[in-house]
Amino acid sequence: MTALAPTAPAPTSTPPTNLRARVRRNPAPYLLALAGAAWLLVLFVIPLISGLAVSLMTGNPQEGYTFTWNWGVYGQLFGPGASTPYWLFLGRGIFYGVMATIVTILVGYPMAYFIAFRARPEWKNALLLLVMLSFLVSFIIRTDMWAFLLSDQGPVLTVLRGIHLVGKDFHILGTNAAVIGGLAYNDLAFMVLPIYVALERIDPRLIEASADLYGKKPATFFHTVLPLTRSGIFAGILLVFIDSAGDPVSPSLLGGTHTYTIGQAIQDAYLTNQQYNVAAALSTVLMIVLGVILFAYARIAGTDNIEDLV
């Protein structure tokens, strides 16, 4: 008598894996994503394509501009025979953006850490309001007040000269440090808030367990807290770097002729010289360069857990 072969278990139904089935099963996330997609389309994709189209035009404000596929404008602006060093202005703007981002991390991370872990719960909202308070004032007014503080007759140099820390010939306004300081001041909240959100989402039990394993507080911070806030740092870098690299206001009010950036070049080409195709070409190159830098940073640093901020 031969043993009967075991019967195979009845096949179980597997959940659908194709996109259409997932949408039918749970349409809410995809419907909500349509709003974000429409926002990006209207405020990013269309302006980007429009700017590229304007850069390929030829003409002048008096006679109008005609679309002529004028790719040569990019060679005239950034080629080896260019009369204006736009590459220098672009590199300077990126340098200011990187330095301002570093300053905001060094200043903003301790602020966010204090609010998240050291401040009393009833004071957290008030402290966050203080961080956002500067946004209630116009960006230009904030920068102009920064210029007043750093001017030769301003309170900063007056105090430093009064206690004989600097000489009469020492200047802050018109230097790279003044521009970087102004950019960091204006964008500090963009770094503090994402890091604060990431810190608030950390489970306190993880910090306790890490303290038990590593013992010392610096090791707990570098092994546990800092990696868990990588998404907040990444979001802050995106906001601060993009805004600082193309900002024309801070270099204009706080800098001098040797701090001229690509943002100022775009502003002058559009508003002063009315060279709309030149301004559009400079803007397109700036966006492409920033996109490449941020994509490379995302590939190196990684973007996993970035959704934790949503």
Side-chain angles (χ1 to χ4, degrees):
M1 184 176 181
T2 59
L4 296 177
T7 58
T12 58
S13 59
T14 58
T17 58
N18 59 79
L19 178 60
R20 183 177 300 178
R22 291 199 302 267
V23 171
R24 285 200 305 264
R25 187 176 57 178
N26 188 14
Y30 301 95
L31 294 176
L32 293 174
L34 289 177
W39 182 275
L40 289 175
L41 177 65
V42 174
L43 298 180
F44 179 74
V45 177
I46 294 178
L48 181 63
I49 296 175
S50 300
L52 178 62
V54 173
S55 70
L56 301 179
M57 293 181 178
T58 55
N60 54 69
Q62 291 75 28
E63 300 176 358
Y65 286 87
T66 306
F67 185 79
T68 58
W69 295 100
N70 181 29
W71 293 101
V73 66
Y74 291 95
Q76 297 171 7
L77 297 176
F78 295 97
S83 57
T84 305
Y86 287 110
W87 277 118
L88 174 63
F89 304 152
L90 177 62
R92 189 177 292 152
I94 293 174
F95 169 74
Y96 287 155
V98 171
M99 295 305 298
T101 302
I102 294 174
V103 172
T104 55
I105 293 176
L106 295 178
V107 177
Y109 201 106
M111 292 176 60
Y113 187 91
F114 175 81
I115 297 174
F117 292 148
R118 294 291 180 262
R120 299 175 62 178
E122 60 269 22
W123 284 99
K124 288 186 178 182
N125 290 336
L127 293 174
L128 290 174
L129 178 62
L130 289 177
V131 173
M132 298 292 298
L133 195 61
S134 63
F135 284 169
L136 300 179
V137 182
S138 169
F139 178 84
I140 296 178
I141 294 178
R142 296 201 312 266
T143 308
D144 194 45
M145 290 299 99
W146 189 262
F148 166 73
L149 292 174
L150 301 181
S151 64
D152 293 344
Q153 292 77 33
V156 175
L157 283 183
T158 300
V159 172
L160 293 178
R161 288 169 182 160
I163 59 179
H164 304 289
L165 285 180
V166 298
K168 295 182 178 179
D169 297 332
F170 182 80
H171 305 282
I172 300 178
L173 201 62
T175 63
N176 291 331
V179 176
I180 295 170
L183 291 170
Y185 162 73
N186 282 316
D187 292 333
L188 181 61
F190 291 141
M191 184 65 69
V192 174
L193 295 180
I195 294 177
Y196 170 78
V197 172
L199 288 168
E200 276 287 292
R201 290 180 176 271
I202 297 178
D203 190 341
R205 293 174 297 180
L206 295 176
I207 300 178
E208 295 175 2
S210 179
D212 293 337
L213 292 172
Y214 296 106
K216 297 182 179 180
K217 290 184 178 180
T220 298
F221 174 78
F222 286 107
H223 286 275
T224 303
V225 177
L226 189 60
L228 291 175
T229 56
R230 186 174 60 178
S231 59
I233 298 173
F234 181 83
I237 289 175
L238 290 181
L239 296 173
V240 174
F241 177 69
I242 293 175
D243 187 61
S244 299
D247 177 26
V249 177
S250 296
S252 298
L253 297 179
L254 304 176
T257 55
H258 64 284
T259 63
Y260 195 81
T261 64
I262 189 68
Q264 292 174 275
I266 295 172
Q267 177 179 263
D268 291 340
Y270 187 84
L271 297 178
T272 304
N273 302 325
Q274 294 185 334
Q275 297 175 314
Y276 303 134
N277 57 337
V278 172
L282 295 176
S283 301
T284 302
V285 171
L286 175 61
M287 286 189 289
I288 292 175
V289 172
L290 292 181
V292 171
I293 292 175
L294 293 175
F295 177 78
Y297 168 74
R299 295 289 295 177
I300 295 173
T303 58
D304 52 324
N305 296 327
I306 194 69
E307 68 274 5
D308 291 345
L309 293 178
V310 181

